[in-house]
Amino acid sequence: MSKVISVTSLRNGVGRSAVSCLLSNALAELEYKVLIIDNNFKYCDVANYMMVKPDYTVDDLRPFLRSGVLEKDTILSMAISAGKGVDVLCGSQMNFSDNTLGYEDVKEVKALIEDVYDYIIIDGRSGIENDEVLSLASIVEKNIIVTRPNKHDSEHFERLKGSLDEDK
């Protein structure tokens, strides 16, 4: 059964994709099978970090999700191997904030491929909100929030943490 780890941040440029890729490689070194889902609508750096050129992205996966006909083989055919036990489902190239996979989408993808991958790493978008974190919390085993050490980010992080603590 797959464990889901979400890597999110409060803003762009803090190293979220780098953390996702390094974590994926570290898990693969321990001989776990890993899928990274680049769920960032704007920068989609995972493909660059993992040095892969995607034939498909989450844009191609979305119609299958919306029509209710998504199958395990569809997901597996859209993921590209980055070697060493790491596959990548590359991010949207459309640059719209609603081109990310939502909670229900991630839940469905996980259910279909949980017997294939030990870990699913979600390289999330920046600017996360409390309700988004709470929605993902029901399917995410670990949520890594990458921040810059400044007063604004620290206060926002504390609000998010408080929301998660209250939800338990």
Side-chain angles (χ1 to χ4, degrees):
M1 186 164 155
S2 296
K3 292 183 176 153
V4 179
I5 300 173
S6 176
V7 181
T8 56
S9 67
L10 304 172
R11 62 182 67 215
N12 289 322
V14 297
R16 181 183 60 253
S17 296
V19 167
S20 297
C21 294
L22 290 168
L23 177 59
S24 297
N25 284 332
L27 290 168
E29 288 291 324
L30 296 172
E31 299 188 13
Y32 291 110
K33 182 82 172 144
V34 181
L35 174 69
I36 304 176
I37 299 175
D38 190 342
N39 207 29
N40 187 349
F41 69 92
K42 198 168 189 177
Y43 298 105
C44 307
D45 288 332
V46 170
N48 293 332
Y49 282 122
M50 300 304 283
M51 299 188 329
V52 296
K53 181 157 176 37
D55 292 323
Y56 303 100
T57 69
V58 294
D59 297 323
D60 300 301
L61 188 66
R62 194 168 294 97
F64 292 95
L65 285 161
R66 300 298 177 255
S67 64
V69 296
L70 183 63
E71 296 179 355
K72 180 190 331 187
D73 290 339
T74 305
I75 300 168
L76 298 177
S77 69
M78 290 185 183
I80 186 168
S81 174
K84 299 188 296 184
V86 178
D87 292 344
V88 178
L89 182 57
C90 295
S92 173
Q93 302 297 308
M94 295 182 152
N95 199 18
F96 298 114
S97 62
D98 61 349
N99 280 4
T100 58
L101 300 180
Y103 156 75
E104 290 294 332
D105 300 330
V106 172
K107 184 177 175 182
E108 184 173 345
V109 168
K110 178 188 178 194
L112 289 168
I113 61 172
E114 64 185 352
D115 64 330
V116 177
Y117 296 100
D118 299 304
Y119 286 92
I120 300 170
I121 309 295
I122 302 171
D123 179 35
R125 64 182 185 86
S126 63
I128 56 172
E129 298 296 330
N130 289 3
D131 59 338
E132 186 177 351
V133 171
L134 292 174
S135 294
L136 283 173
S138 66
I139 60 168
V140 170
E141 278 72 26
K142 297 288 180 190
N143 191 5
I144 299 170
I145 301 174
V146 182
T147 65
R148 288 185 179 156
N150 65 46
K151 184 180 179 190
H152 174 72
D153 284 358
S154 296
E155 290 171 354
H156 189 83
F157 172 76
E158 288 301 322
R159 284 193 301 274
L160 288 172
K161 185 178 178 302
S163 295
L164 287 171
D165 290 342
E166 288 173 16
D167 191 52
K168 289 182 182 180

